């Protein structure tokens, strides 16, 4: 868990955020500590800054359909 921008997981966690991009985060994490498991932390491009977004928001706001969000990722 790291980062220095306003939208980074560490910056948000250090401010007390324990749910980031729809993922519950455990208490007591330290900067640069590995998360218990890999998570996807998408952001959107906004007019003034990126915005963290959850999977539910991605679908609700029409960025992707539910089917697109759940498609298995293919290697390039």
């Amino acid at each position: 868990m790291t980062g220095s921008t306003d939208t980074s997981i560490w910056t948000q966690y250090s401010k007390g955020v324990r749910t980031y991009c729809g993922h519950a985060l455990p208490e007591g994490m330290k900067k640069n500590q590995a998360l218990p498991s890999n998570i996807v932390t998408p952001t959107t491009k906004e007019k003034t800054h990126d915005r963290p977004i959850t999977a539910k928001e991605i679908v609700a706001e029409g960025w992707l359909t539910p089917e697109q969000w759940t498609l298995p990722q293919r290697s390039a």
Side-chain angles (χ1 to χ4, degrees), residues 6-75:
D6 289 344
T7 58
S8 75
I9 192 170
W10 174 251
T11 302
Q12 293 299 306
Y13 189 88
S14 68
K15 292 178 180 178
V17 172
R18 295 298 181 265
T19 301
Y20 186 77
C21 295
H23 302 281
L25 302 172
E27 290 292 334
M29 301 252 347
K30 307 286 184 217
K31 187 170 184 174
N32 298 321
Q33 181 179 350
L35 293 167
S37 62
N38 293 336
I39 60 174
V40 176
T41 59
T43 60
T44 65
K45 284 290 186 194
E46 302 289 324
K47 290 182 181 183
T48 59
H49 208 293
D50 291 353
R51 172 175 58 101
I53 190 169
T54 67
K56 286 182 181 181
E57 291 169 328
I58 288 170
V59 172
E61 294 176 18
W63 295 95
L64 294 172
T65 67
E67 295 77 21
Q68 290 169 322
W69 178 254
T70 59
L71 282 176
Q73 298 299 311
R74 296 184 186 149
S75 299

